[in-house]
Amino acid sequence: MLLKLRDLRLSYGVEVLLDDAELAIDAGERVALVGRNGTGKSTLMKIVSGEVEPDKVKRESKPGLRIARLEQEVPAATHGTVYQVTAAGLGEAGEAVARFHEMTARLSAGEDVMDEFSAAQAAVEAHDGWTLAQRVEATLSRLSLNPDTDFNALSGGWKRRVLLARALVCDPDLLLLDEPTNHLDIAAIAYLEEMLINWNGALLFITHDRAFLRNLATRILDLDRGKLTSWPGDYDKYLSGKEKALADEEKNQALFDKRLAQEETWIRQGIKARRTRNEGRVRALKAMRAERAERRERVGTANIVTQDAARSGKNVAVAEHLAYAWGDKPIVTDLTTTIQRGDKVGIIGPNGAGKTTLIRLLLGQLEADSGTVQLGTNLDIAHFDQHRAALDDNISVLDNVAGGRSSITINGQDRHIMSYLGDFLFSPKRARSPTHVLSGGERNRLLLAKLFTRPANLLVMDEPTNDLDVETLELLEERLINFEGTLLLVSHDRAFLDNVVTSSLVMEGDGRVGDYVGGYSDYLRQRPAASPPGTSGKPAAKKNTPAAKPAPAKPAATLTTAERKELRDLPRTIDKLEKEIAEHEATIGAPGFYDQDPATVKKTTAAHTQAEQALEAAFERWEVLEAKQG
């Protein structure tokens, strides 16, 4: 047994989050913590890690238990190189190790920092830090991270990977992960899955990604109305058991309420009944009243209703030989496809591949470099934006949806706005709250509520599943399956894609967009052997150079002949390095990679790190030469 919490209680005002709950975790377990949004899952994580002190708890743990936690959001104050952020997971000793790494690099670059280098070396020795330095390097290698990259230059997905390295570097007995798949693309999620399956420590994690949950969890811990219940086995076994438990609870409560009603009728009988009433029966009735008053009702399920507009034309969008590039980087090359009324199309690809750009091209919102797009007739488009730009944080939940009206029309029927928001689990009090206080899951529900106030025959949904609890996600899934219009869906949720879409457009790299029947699993079966799913992308620092279309080139007045040739050759060099890195990542991410001979593992990871460093240097050189030319 690693950790056991008993008689765990926590209240915020009158709201009881944990009501004499009990939690136990054994070595090697992978425990998924599930429950509705707002039930207190993240708070429970912080209690386990010691960051939050509950009102009451009895704690037992293994002596010297090491716990590390990966937060749901990237901390705003995090800065430094990847090496420094990772080493911070080792505390004061990590700071000494990071300082020595920095001084070593500066000394190697020819800087006169010998005194600082000697001081850093002494600090590492004082902390007995050489083993820790090796651990930092091994962790970075395992996660394919460049130690010298600036943390704040990375994309959200890569930042999450660095924070995971920081959590792992202390070699925890128990790792806590709060929504670890947020901001990760499919390849990165699969990589994380494989790594955690092969990791020897215990794991407690929260996720809305059902494929991730099914592949990883060995036990389910359910948080419902302040109570924790443990369900051994996989997620599907939990679902069937939970369904039966809720049905039994409903049946028992109905019997209890019937008996209570009978006792209330008896106590209200006339004079004759009161003369003969039994005082023990009266006391029992009072106890039943108290028990009924303390019952915590299960929160209702969201009731999501889509509005169908008039039918569009048969063809929604017909693209022929479509091409578009960012500078010298092709996004779409020679795409020909037809989207017809009723199609549900998944847009799949790594972060930064241009999925949103592809949608804008297909909808005629962005002019292609070549090729044509013919839009169908009678299109009513509704757009779900992953950045939630359609929400105004300065007004209330109610005003975001109703715009000052007291009622709205849904499928021809007038609905009071409070009743409509209740369908999306917003109480009257919450509906009057300012939007900026909402959690991530509540904001997504609010955006869905706003989206579905208008009729549409073409839904464009960009990452709609983020932060939704599984029950709401499954309801949205059902509504989209039954939606009679057309759907364009960008998602990294494999289960959601498999269950909803009828075809997939896959960003396969170098501008190739594969057109496949079915969802993500169908794509995996159909893809060419030489076309693995996209990797998780490169550090976002690279997006600052060729990502946007450059202005027309100015005459090269200040470049030498050799520099002009170097500038012409750089795109080919960058393309070659990106392909090399993609091959390394596919190799490193393959099952059993770390079971090989350590020398082979070290050689491959070192080559990968060297290629990434060369790529970063190439982009930096491109910036220098273009600035000099301009």
Side-chain angles (χ1 to χ4, degrees):
M1 187 269 295
L2 287 181
L3 177 70
K4 188 169 187 177
L5 304 180
R6 294 184 293 114
D7 301 333
L8 177 56
R9 187 170 182 83
L10 178 66
S11 300
Y12 290 132
V14 297
E15 183 180 8
V16 179
L17 284 183
L18 295 161
D19 187 6
D20 292 328
E22 182 171 312
L23 174 151
I25 299 176
D26 291 328
E29 282 196 295
R30 298 194 297 269
V31 183
L33 177 59
V34 303
R36 290 278 185 85
N37 285 341
T39 55
K41 299 189 298 296
S42 294
T43 302
L44 178 59
M45 282 271 200
K46 293 175 183 177
I47 291 173
V48 171
S49 67
E51 298 168 66
V52 169
E53 186 63 32
D55 301 330
K56 174 187 173 187
V57 68
K58 294 178 182 176
R59 182 187 291 260
E60 302 172 32
S61 64
K62 166 190 168 184
L65 176 67
R66 293 188 302 274
I67 300 176
R69 185 171 75 90
L70 176 65
E71 304 94 329
Q72 188 170 347
E73 300 297 334
V74 176
T78 307
H79 58 84
T81 65
V82 167
Y83 194 101
Q84 289 167 336
V85 173
T86 301
L90 296 169
E92 188 176 340
E95 292 179 14
V97 167
R99 177 69 173 169
F100 177 76
H101 177 83
E102 178 189 359
M103 289 302 105
T104 301
R106 291 176 62 181
L107 194 65
S108 299
E111 294 187 41
D112 184 14
V113 291
M114 193 63 202
D115 290 343
E116 291 94 329
F117 174 82
S118 297
Q121 186 177 30
V124 172
E125 290 173 349
H127 286 92
D128 194 21
W130 299 120
T131 301
L132 298 181
Q134 292 174 1
R135 191 188 298 171
V136 173
E137 291 167 3
T139 303
L140 292 174
S141 174
R142 187 178 185 185
L143 292 174
S144 303
L145 291 167
N146 183 343
D148 299 316
T149 302
D150 179 20
F151 178 81
N152 287 317
L154 298 175
S155 66
W158 281 87
K159 284 180 178 177
R160 298 276 292 175
R161 191 181 286 206
V162 176
L163 294 178
L164 177 62
R166 185 174 72 177
L168 288 172
V169 77
C170 69
D171 193 22
D173 302 297
L174 173 59
L175 179 62
L176 310 178
L177 302 179
D178 195 346
E179 294 289 2
T181 64
N182 275 359
H183 311 297
L184 299 186
D185 57 36
I186 290 176
I189 292 170
Y191 179 93
L192 177 62
E193 257 177 30
E194 182 69 24
M195 194 207 75
L196 292 174
I197 287 171
N198 293 322
W199 186 58
N200 292 326
L203 181 66
L204 176 65
F205 66 99
I206 300 168
T207 186
H208 66 269
D209 187 317
R210 289 161 296 171
F212 185 82
L213 195 161
R214 283 188 168 95
N215 292 339
L216 205 58
T218 58
R219 179 163 64 95
I220 309 297
L221 198 61
D222 178 75
L223 179 55
D224 184 5
R225 290 163 287 174
K227 299 293 186 183
L228 277 169
T229 53
S230 177
W231 301 82
D234 59 24
Y235 180 62
D236 291 307
K237 185 177 180 181
Y238 154 76
L239 287 177
S240 59
K242 179 71 173 180
E243 183 179 11
K244 182 179 184 302
L246 288 174
D248 291 343
E249 177 185 6
E250 184 177 355
K251 180 179 178 181
N252 291 335
Q253 287 181 351
L255 291 172
F256 179 92
D257 291 346
K258 181 178 180 181
R259 184 171 158 229
L260 176 59
Q262 292 171 343
E263 294 300 291
E264 293 286 6
T265 300
W266 168 79
I267 200 69
R268 290 194 299 270
Q269 285 179 348
I271 298 294
K272 181 178 180 181
R274 285 199 297 272
R275 285 176 183 163
T276 59
R277 69 185 177 190
N278 183 288
E279 290 303 320
R281 190 172 179 181
V282 173
R283 287 193 297 271
L285 174 58
K286 289 180 180 179
M288 290 179 71
R289 286 173 175 170
E291 182 179 344
R292 180 62 183 86
E294 291 175 1
R295 181 190 299 171
R296 295 183 63 178
E297 301 291 352
R298 183 170 169 80
V299 177
T301 301
N303 182 27
I304 299 174
V305 177
T306 58
Q307 289 204 76
D308 293 325
R311 282 160 61 94
S312 67
K314 180 180 179 182
N315 288 336
V316 172
V318 178
E320 294 187 353
H321 306 293
L322 205 60
Y324 185 81
W326 291 334
D328 293 328
K329 180 181 179 181
I331 303 303
V332 176
T333 302
D334 197 27
L335 172 63
T336 296
T337 189
T338 298
I339 298 173
Q340 296 188 323
R341 181 180 62 236
D343 285 350
K344 296 178 173 62
V345 183
I347 313 292
I348 301 173
N351 290 336
K355 297 185 291 296
T356 303
T357 298
L358 174 58
I359 287 179
R360 294 184 64 205
L361 288 168
L362 291 173
L363 296 181
Q365 298 169 350
L366 187 64
E367 185 178 352
D369 294 336
S370 62
T372 61
V373 174
Q374 182 68 43
L375 290 179
T377 58
N378 198 30
L379 292 179
D380 286 314
I381 304 173
H383 195 116
F384 182 100
D385 172 24
Q386 65 164 319
H387 302 295
R388 303 158 185 155
L391 299 180
D392 186 344
D393 280 349
N394 299 315
I395 62 177
S396 68
V397 170
L398 186 150
D399 287 336
N400 254 302
V401 176
R405 295 169 294 168
S406 61
S407 64
I408 55 176
T409 303
I410 304 294
N411 288 325
Q413 300 292 321
D414 285 342
R415 294 282 308 277
H416 192 280
I417 184 60
M418 288 299 188
S419 172
Y420 177 71
L421 287 173
D423 287 347
F424 291 83
L425 305 182
F426 290 104
S427 66
K429 180 180 179 181
R430 200 61 169 168
R432 295 186 179 93
S433 300
T435 302
H436 67 82
V437 305
L438 299 183
S439 67
E442 287 175 317
R443 290 174 70 83
N444 260 20
R445 276 193 272 117
L446 177 58
L447 194 54
L448 289 172
K450 183 172 184 175
L451 180 74
F452 293 137
T453 58
R454 57 168 296 180
N457 52 34
L458 173 56
L459 286 177
V460 180
M461 308 198 80
D462 196 348
E463 291 291 352
T465 65
N466 282 349
D467 301 314
L468 293 180
D469 59 54
V470 172
E471 288 187 51
T472 305
L473 190 153
E474 289 179 343
L475 179 63
L476 174 62
E477 193 174 85
E478 179 186 336
R479 293 297 182 263
L480 293 179
I481 290 170
N482 294 325
F483 177 59
E484 294 184 358
T486 307
L487 172 69
L488 298 180
L489 172 68
V490 176
S491 180
H492 297 305
D493 188 317
R494 294 160 291 176
F496 197 80
L497 287 165
D498 282 345
N499 293 339
V500 171
V501 305
T502 57
S503 64
S504 299
L505 294 175
V506 184
M507 317 288 285
E508 296 181 320
D510 297 323
R512 298 189 308 275
V513 181
D515 196 343
Y516 298 90
V517 175
Y520 181 71
S521 297
D522 297 307
Y523 152 64
L524 291 181
R525 287 191 290 271
Q526 298 171 63
R527 69 183 181 188
S531 300
T535 60
S536 56
K538 309 298 180 297
K542 296 186 299 184
K543 297 179 185 177
N544 297 333
T545 46
K549 284 193 170 183
K554 297 180 182 179
T558 59
L559 291 181
T560 66
T561 301
E563 285 174 332
R564 284 198 296 272
K565 182 179 184 303
E566 184 183 2
L567 182 58
R568 286 196 304 270
D569 291 344
L570 271 172
R572 287 191 293 273
T573 301
I574 288 170
D575 183 60
K576 180 181 177 183
L577 287 169
E578 286 185 329
K579 289 179 179 177
E580 183 180 339
I581 289 168
E583 291 171 0
H584 287 322
E585 289 180 339
T587 301
I588 292 169
F593 172 76
Y594 288 98
D595 295 334
Q596 301 180 89
D597 176 61
T600 303
V601 172
K602 184 176 181 180
K603 181 179 178 181
T604 304
T605 54
H608 178 258
T609 299
Q610 185 178 1
E612 285 200 323
Q613 290 171 343
L615 182 62
E616 186 175 347
F619 273 100
E620 289 175 356
R621 183 61 176 162
W622 188 342
E623 283 185 343
V624 170
L625 293 177
E626 285 202 326
K628 188 175 179 181
Q629 174 182 260

